[in-house]
Amino acid sequence: MRERPDGKRSANGKTYDPERLFLPPDDDLAPNRPGETLRARLDGSAAAGASGRARLLMARLLGRRPVEDAWRRALAAEQCVGAALEGLAGSGWDVVHSIVLPGDAIISHLLIGPGGVFGISARPGRRGRVRAGESQVRTDRERRPCPYVRETRHDAVRASHVLSRGCGFLVQVQPVLVFVGARSVEAAPELDDVRVMGEGEVPGLGALGGVLHPDRARRIHTVARNRRVWLWA
């Protein structure tokens, strides 16, 4: 069932949201690039300079796993998915990238449009076979399972609370977990509340519709791009 339209109308009948007009530039997340937070972490890392790069090389030679390597893989995944989502912009969709939640959790991308609202987590597949269970992900590239499903679900619930409070109506955020560069991606049959896919399936989200009226989608986007609303997530 489609939502009712919201927002105010100007003299020419077009809907507008006054909050968007007065959003300070420093609080506007709309200009965020995919992976914005990871870029900042890498730029501020001790490995950013020549001495830092030497330290990273030495760590790799010793068989260690510098956190910067994980950040770079994660950044590449977010950039890949972000580019695919940006391609949906002309079809009534908006996307906000790199939303930081309290506790340093990051919603890689929030997609808003006719098919609803999707909280998308982008993860590197590292050319492995990926199987997602009810709460964890197993891959043949990692010895231990990763809590990606649980984290993505939890972040979507937090986003739903934030957006519902900011909009004044219920906003359901659907969790989506995307693996970039995986050899194969498989979801357990019992996993029915989190969409799991490879990066090639991301554009298919743009074909979904019949959930949000354009006025409500615009209102949600206005709230979502305000950095301050996420401070109490």
Side-chain angles (χ1 to χ4, degrees):
M1 182 174 65
R2 292 182 68 90
E3 302 280 4
R4 297 192 314 272
D6 284 301
K8 299 182 178 181
R9 293 189 180 275
S10 59
N12 61 10
K14 291 186 178 181
T15 304
Y16 69 97
D17 194 328
E19 283 190 25
R20 184 174 298 193
L21 300 177
F22 299 103
L23 185 61
D26 289 346
D27 290 332
D28 192 354
L29 300 178
N32 275 7
R33 298 169 296 175
E36 190 78 32
T37 303
L38 290 167
R39 292 173 192 262
R41 287 180 182 175
L42 285 166
D43 289 343
S45 168
S51 61
R53 288 192 292 272
R55 180 181 61 81
L56 281 180
L57 178 59
M58 181 60 68
R60 294 180 187 122
L61 291 174
L62 293 174
R64 297 173 187 163
R65 292 185 174 182
V67 67
E68 290 86 355
D69 288 349
W71 289 348
R72 286 190 177 90
R73 288 193 296 269
L75 174 59
E78 292 195 17
Q79 289 174 324
C80 176
V81 174
L85 294 173
E86 292 287 352
L88 304 178
S91 304
W93 293 86
D94 288 299
V95 60
V96 181
H97 304 290
S98 197
I99 299 172
V100 179
L101 306 180
D104 287 337
I106 301 173
I107 297 177
S108 304
H109 318 279
L110 193 70
L111 181 67
I112 305 161
V117 183
F118 300 89
I120 301 172
S121 176
R123 300 287 182 175
R126 302 182 64 187
R127 295 189 294 277
R129 293 186 176 89
V130 175
R131 177 174 173 80
E134 286 188 277
S135 63
Q136 296 182 321
V137 171
R138 292 187 176 274
T139 172
D140 53 10
R141 296 299 303 269
E142 299 289 344
R143 288 183 238 176
R144 298 179 181 178
C146 300
Y148 296 152
V149 174
R150 184 172 67 248
E151 291 171 352
T152 303
R153 180 187 291 124
H154 181 58
D155 290 346
V157 170
R158 295 174 73 182
S160 179
H161 289 325
V162 168
L163 296 174
S164 297
R165 183 171 60 239
C167 292
F169 54 83
L170 177 62
V171 179
Q172 294 182 330
V173 178
Q174 303 175 56
V176 181
L177 184 54
V178 182
F179 290 94
V180 176
R183 190 183 312 171
S184 64
V185 178
E186 180 183 358
E190 60 271 20
L191 181 60
D192 57 2
D193 65 324
V194 179
R195 293 173 183 258
V196 181
M197 60 182 68
E199 74 273 19
E201 300 172 77
V202 171
L205 294 172
L208 302 176
V211 176
L212 284 178
H213 187 279
D215 290 351
R216 285 218 160 176
R218 282 191 287 269
R219 173 60 183 159
I220 295 169
H221 182 230
T222 293
V223 172
R225 63 192 285 179
N226 188 342
R227 180 185 63 84
R228 291 185 176 274
V229 305
W230 299 101
L231 298 178
W232 299 276

